[in-house]
Amino acid sequence: MRYDEEDCLPISGIQHFTFCRRQYALIHIERLWVENTLTFDGRVMHRQVEDPFYLESRGTVIVSRSVPLISTKLGLYGIADVVEFRSCEAGGVVLEGRKGMWQPYPVEYKRGRGKPDDRDIVQVGAQAMCLEEMLHTAVSEGALYYGQTRRRQMVLIDDSLRSRVTVLAQQMHDMYDSGRTPAPTKMKACDRCSLRDLCLPKISSHKRVGDYIRIMSKEKEVGNRPL
Ligand code: SF4
């Protein structure tokens, strides 16, 4: 199956969808977005990377920034922070004005450090699959760069990652088409979620509204106490 270009969804949504289905729906279906320090730092970091038309050559690596991506198979589109083109005798793509073959290698920049789940990895996987479709070549590796640790983490683009990305993309489309936002599930990560105040995850973890009101009043009491 192929999606029409106008039906493609943003690649960045795959990390929200993997982290929390409700967060995905709140951002991408209900179009709610609340800035917190984590998202602000993340945007600043991306702005530093985004520099359209920038092409930098470092010996056997050509660095291209803010590269537009699309896959009509996955139904996803977006912009890669960086795509490196690495000189490779075994294959890759031909670049205008350059000799030899060049292997595309997506690099996604993130603030903070590596996550306990694979939300960042699937984003790189989706970028790699877009590049494969657009450039008609195999992409076997990519990377994540974390601002807090200033380290790169290699991402292997294998068949199991490709299958996971394909399933997630299909589920994203199903949820988007349904227009339904799932109920909240209280979890540890809710404390760092920028949508926490809109999502109200505590409501769902208490069947009785009275329990919820008691907890909220207690939190207010603690907040009002003099330091
Ligand atoms: S607060 Fe928790 S349940 Fe609500 S969107 Fe954020 S992570 Fe998901």
Side-chain angles (χ1 to χ4, degrees):
M1 172 184 167
R2 295 265 181 186
Y3 292 89
D4 290 335
E5 285 185 14
E6 58 270 25
D7 292 331
C8 289
L9 300 173
I11 290 177
S12 59
I14 201 167
Q15 53 168 328
H16 305 134
F17 191 84
T18 308
F19 173 62
C20 169
R21 304 294 201 256
R22 181 169 169 83
Q23 191 196 65
Y24 174 80
L26 292 174
I27 295 171
H28 297 271
I29 298 174
E30 299 193 31
R31 314 260 178 215
L32 300 175
W33 179 254
V34 176
E35 191 89 85
N36 67 11
T37 51
L38 299 179
T39 59
F40 180 74
D41 287 354
R43 277 200 304 115
V44 169
M45 187 162 179
H46 275 94
R47 206 170 292 146
Q48 285 163 355
V49 176
E50 283 168 13
D51 182 4
F53 316 118
Y54 184 89
L55 206 65
E56 180 189 338
S57 194
R58 293 187 208 141
T60 55
V61 180
I62 295 167
V63 181
S64 182
R65 298 178 196 264
S66 305
V67 179
L69 300 172
I70 189 162
S71 163
T72 54
K73 274 192 208 159
L74 293 172
L76 297 178
Y77 77 94
I79 291 184
D81 289 333
V82 164
V83 177
E84 294 178 354
F85 291 89
R86 300 175 163 199
S87 176
C88 177
E89 283 175 15
V93 294
V94 175
L95 296 180
E96 203 180 318
R98 310 270 175 172
K99 284 186 187 151
M101 303 294 279
W102 301 83
Q103 178 65 45
Y105 188 101
V107 184
E108 172 68 15
Y109 282 67
K110 299 284 183 197
R111 74 166 300 285
R113 48 180 69 231
K115 313 291 189 309
D117 53 46
D118 67 351
R119 82 191 90 144
D120 294 342
I121 292 169
V122 293
Q123 191 176 358
V124 176
Q127 291 177 355
M129 290 172 76
C130 288
L131 287 167
E132 288 181 330
E133 190 177 318
M134 292 164 65
L135 302 174
H136 307 286
T137 189
V139 177
S140 55
E141 244 181 60
L144 286 153
Y145 176 85
Y146 289 103
Q148 200 173 324
T149 54
R150 291 170 183 266
R151 292 194 95 100
R152 266 192 186 207
Q153 177 190 323
M154 193 271 270
V155 177
L156 181 68
I157 316 295
D158 59 11
D159 285 346
S160 106
L161 181 57
R162 286 191 187 89
S163 309
R164 173 137 170 83
V165 169
T166 303
V167 169
L168 287 168
Q170 178 62 59
Q171 291 174 343
M172 283 163 66
H173 275 277
D174 290 345
M175 184 180 285
Y176 190 86
D177 292 346
S178 80
R180 283 200 210 105
T181 302
T185 311
K186 175 94 180 74
M187 50 186 173
K188 206 163 171 264
C190 294
D191 295 339
R192 287 165 65 84
C193 174
S194 65
L195 297 182
R196 187 168 165 246
D197 291 340
L198 289 171
C199 168
L200 302 176
K202 281 183 182 167
I203 287 178
S204 71
S205 57
H206 297 89
K207 289 203 173 97
R208 290 159 52 91
V209 174
D211 291 346
Y212 171 70
I213 291 170
R214 261 192 296 284
I215 282 182
M216 293 312 280
S217 325
K218 230 180 226 170
E219 282 194 0
K220 212 170 167 193
E221 244 171 58
V222 172
N224 287 341
R225 250 179 234 159
L227 296 171

